[in-house]
Amino acid sequence: MVAWLHEMRGLWWRETDKVFDSYPGQPARQLLGIVEMVRDHVAADGYVGCVYHNTAAEFRDPQHPGHQESVQHAAEIRKQPIDIARKANAIDPEELGDVLLLVIDGIYANGAVLGPSGPIGLGVALAEQVIERYCPATELRP
């Protein structure tokens, strides 16, 4: 299980690299692209929930290797938007990164319950508003 979870972590980084490649030199747009990527993943057929949220909920013992892998992934994922927000010269990069992480986690959780017909699409619109608030000098849509 831990090897599979670790492999899934690699998938996250490969997918976010594609987002970065799509918006080179546009860190604020990259942040929005990550949220769009998550929305698209959650809207795909066969989505049954975030493997890390599911694992952490199933294996609650902090010493369980699956739980530890989930926590480590969450810590890395938390750091990623903060680092990108710094590159975007956000007013408060830490806060922006954490707000976007909450949006992403909300998309994952809501998509698992209500599916693509639920409010997951609103997560992208919310993320756009939040990014524009923290990065007022940035144009997200040309």
Side-chain angles (χ1 to χ4, degrees), residues 42-111:
V42 169
D45 287 341
Y47 178 74
V48 294
C50 171
V51 297
Y52 299 98
H53 292 172
N54 292 347
T55 300
E58 184 71 25
F59 302 99
R60 296 179 187 189
D61 178 359
Q63 302 307 313
H64 188 280
H67 187 90
Q68 291 176 346
E69 185 75 16
S70 296
V71 169
Q72 185 175 355
H73 180 69
E76 290 174 3
I77 295 304
R78 182 178 185 209
K79 184 179 179 312
Q80 185 185 40
I82 292 170
D83 290 345
I84 300 167
R86 283 191 183 107
K87 293 176 186 173
N89 296 314
I91 294 168
D92 186 337
E94 291 79 14
E95 189 170 295
L96 173 56
D98 280 349
V99 170
L100 291 176
L101 181 62
L102 288 173
V103 170
I104 288 168
D105 281 348
I107 292 170
Y108 277 132
N110 193 274

Side-chain angles (χ1 to χ4, degrees), residues 13-25:
W13 299 111
R14 288 190 299 278
E15 292 298 312
T16 56
D17 281 347
K18 290 178 188 176
V19 170
F20 303 150
D21 291 344
S22 296
Y23 304 105

